[in-house]
Amino acid sequence: MKKNTSAPAPLKLYCSIFGHRYEVSKKVTFHVKEYTCKCCKKQLTTNSNGNLTELTPKFQEINSILEEMYMRRSVRSQEKSLSSSIC
Ligand SMILES: [Zn+2]
């Protein structure tokens, strides 16, 4: 039987004592980001209320949709500014 642990116990202990050390791992949109703890690799994301919440598979799905929409919108706005500068 293999035990499935996401992080070594000492690091988890460190986080529980000193708190997680989150850094931005992915910028989804202008105000939605994903954060990963440098110690235990726990992931957080910004939810629709602007608060931080655990990055569950459901939120990963939402973020990937948001990211796609955001990318498309930014590409479109770039094209627009490009064509207007040509004219
Ligand atoms: Zn942590």
Side-chain angles (χ1 to χ4, degrees):
M1 283 285 275
K2 212 169 83 181
K3 231 177 153 189
N4 187 19
T5 48
S6 56
L11 292 180
K12 273 192 175 172
L13 192 65
Y14 181 93
C15 287
S16 67
I17 296 168
F18 299 105
H20 297 285
R21 299 174 69 187
Y22 292 113
E23 60 176 13
V24 177
S25 54
K26 190 176 177 185
K27 203 178 161 194
V28 181
T29 70
F30 190 67
H31 38 235
V32 177
K33 295 179 184 74
E34 289 177 8
Y35 302 87
T36 306
C37 174
K38 281 201 266 187
C39 296
C40 68
K41 308 295 174 199
K42 183 182 161 77
Q43 290 183 299
L44 289 186
T45 188
T46 322
N47 65 16
S48 51
N49 300 320
N51 299 318
L52 290 177
T53 185
E54 202 173 326
L55 186 64
T56 57
K58 186 73 197 166
F59 273 108
Q60 277 179 324
E61 200 185 315
I62 292 169
N63 283 355
S64 69
I65 294 165
L66 277 176
E67 191 185 17
E68 203 177 302
M69 282 164 57
Y70 183 73
M71 297 276 265
R72 255 185 232 167
R73 207 186 301 161
S74 63
V75 165
R76 207 181 296 155
S77 67
Q78 269 174 13
E79 280 174 357
K80 215 181 194 177
S81 63
L82 200 72
S83 61
S84 64
S85 68
I86 289 167
C87 295

